[in-house]
Amino acid sequence: MAFGAGRDGRDPARRGPAPMSEPPPTDTAPTLPPLRDVIARHGLAARRALGQHFLLDLNLTGRIARAGGELGTGTTIEIGPGPGGLTRSLLAHGARKVIAIELDPRCVEALQELAAAYPGRLEIVAGDAMEIDPAKLGEAPRRIVANLPYNVSTALLARWLPSLARLERLVLMFQKEVAERLAAPPGSRDYGRLSVALQWRADVKRLFDLPPRAFTPPPKVTSSVVEIRPLAQPRYPADAEILERVTAAAFNQRRKMLRQSLRSVAPDAAALLAAAEIDGTARAEDLSVEQFCALARALAAGRGRTG
Ligand SMILES: C[S@@+](CC[C@H](N)C(=O)[O-])C[C@H]1O[C@@H](n2cnc3c(N)ncnc32)[C@H](O)[C@@H]1O
């Protein structure tokens, strides 16, 4: 089923009433202490090693939560809730169930108060998001909405790629420079391995930027919120591992012509390129995702193997 059709197919269920056993989503937020009080009371001085830059403006966290779409069904997964600003907005926005993964035990303790204010709707997982597969958490449909710790943001996304189709939507905050790479079109300076790997599997859109002053403490760089809508199936046929080998070879020598850079994966790179109907004088950034997939298929078929 096409991606759009798949989403439409699930919409009627979303509009239906919540099962009797589930607490009904509500937009009526309980009264909570200001986030700055939570931070002071729990001694949450930001730790750089954990990429801690907190968003305390509930207008901004509300904007990110709304970008997550309809949260009233399934599971909303948050990575790194910190003191819980975005978590509050997700719950106030009607999230049926939030599963929040946090590595810092100080934040886990602070979040218990929020869990008590929304009985049954917030589950806090104390642990490392790098070791947890979000596609296995809670009930489908699953979405991830998160202000990611920047030090592991691309590593997390790379881990999620193989099971991306099992997520309905991801709304993620990255450094602007990373966000530009994710959404970069062919021909642009930012287009690279991660752009191909992600755009092969999903529609990617940069939604809006946040300046450093929006965060406490402010990071050095501007941040961008990115929406990722996974496709039910990758856009073009290709083996993921072979596609990765081809893009790694091509972009690792991105200034070189492909007939040269692809020799590390195909001794007769010219034959490989001819089989995929690609001009050997092109460079990595000139190729569309579809052309990279054609190269991966040709390599899988043994083309270009002998030099
Ligand atoms: C950029 S802060 C965002 C905090 C909060 N969501 C906000 O918007 O204010 C990143 C959060 O991720 C947490 N974190 C860092 N590395 C993590 C990891 N590997 N697994 C889970 N959480 C992590 C940090 O402790 C921090 O709370």
Side-chain angles (χ1 to χ4, degrees):
M1 192 188 293
F3 178 53
R7 282 212 302 275
D8 288 344
R10 287 203 291 265
D11 273 345
R14 280 190 200 163
R15 283 194 292 270
M20 291 301 285
S21 58
E22 297 297 343
T26 172
D27 283 332
T28 319
T31 308
L32 295 163
L35 280 168
R36 288 192 189 278
D37 288 3
V38 174
I39 289 172
R41 207 156 19 90
H42 291 273
L44 301 182
R47 290 194 177 147
R48 191 192 286 254
L50 290 173
Q52 291 183 337
H53 299 282
F54 301 134
L55 258 185
L56 307 182
D57 180 339
L58 295 179
N59 290 318
L60 293 175
T61 55
R63 198 169 168 202
I64 299 168
R66 284 194 297 281
E70 174 55 63
L71 308 181
T73 59
T75 310
T76 304
I77 297 154
E78 187 187 358
I79 311 298
L86 177 57
T87 325
R88 288 183 186 200
S89 291
L90 293 168
L91 291 161
H93 189 52
R96 186 195 74 93
K97 179 83 181 185
V98 176
I99 300 184
I101 306 169
E102 176 57 60
L103 188 56
D104 185 344
R106 302 172 309 159
C107 297
V108 171
E109 195 189 304
L111 289 161
Q112 301 299 347
E113 293 171 19
L114 190 56
Y118 286 95
R121 290 177 54 197
L122 172 60
E123 182 182 331
I124 303 150
V125 177
D128 185 348
M130 290 290 285
E131 290 167 7
I132 298 168
D133 181 356
K136 292 187 177 147
L137 292 177
E139 287 176 23
R142 298 176 186 87
R143 59 201 76 80
I144 304 181
V145 182
N147 173 12
L148 293 177
Y150 288 161
N151 43 349
V152 288
S153 63
T154 48
L156 281 169
L157 184 61
R159 277 182 183 246
W160 298 337
L161 284 178
S163 46
L164 207 64
R166 293 170 62 195
L167 300 169
E168 177 198 56
R169 189 191 301 212
L170 299 88
V171 174
L172 305 173
M173 177 110 62
F174 292 95
Q175 296 179 38
K176 183 178 175 191
E177 170 237 324
V178 174
E180 283 170 345
R181 277 165 48 203
L182 300 181
S188 68
R189 191 176 41 103
D190 299 318
Y191 185 61
R193 283 165 69 177
L194 199 52
S195 330
V196 175
L198 183 60
Q199 293 172 29
W200 180 48
R201 296 171 165 101
D203 292 324
V204 185
K205 195 158 91 184
R206 263 182 68 206
L207 296 182
F208 53 89
D209 291 348
L210 270 78
R213 67 172 184 280
F215 301 85
T216 305
K220 290 202 174 74
V221 293
T222 298
S223 303
S224 297
V225 176
V226 175
E227 178 197 79
I228 298 170
R229 298 267 201 146
L231 305 169
Q233 301 194 349
R235 226 172 270 282
Y236 312 104
D239 176 89
E241 193 261 330
I242 296 176
L243 179 61
E244 174 56 28
R245 273 173 53 207
V246 170
T247 56
F251 284 107
N252 284 352
Q253 300 186 68
R254 63 184 296 145
R255 299 311 321 147
K256 293 221 168 106
M257 292 180 199
L258 291 165
R259 66 183 179 206
Q260 175 68 30
S261 59
L262 291 181
R263 280 164 72 175
S264 59
V265 291
D268 190 350
L272 177 74
L273 286 153
E277 296 180 17
I278 292 167
D279 178 358
T281 64
R283 292 176 169 79
E285 67 188 37
D286 299 324
L287 296 200
S288 64
V289 174
E290 186 172 14
Q291 287 175 309
F292 274 115
C293 291
L295 279 173
R297 290 196 301 273
L299 189 62
R303 311 302 286 271
R305 226 175 245 168
T306 50

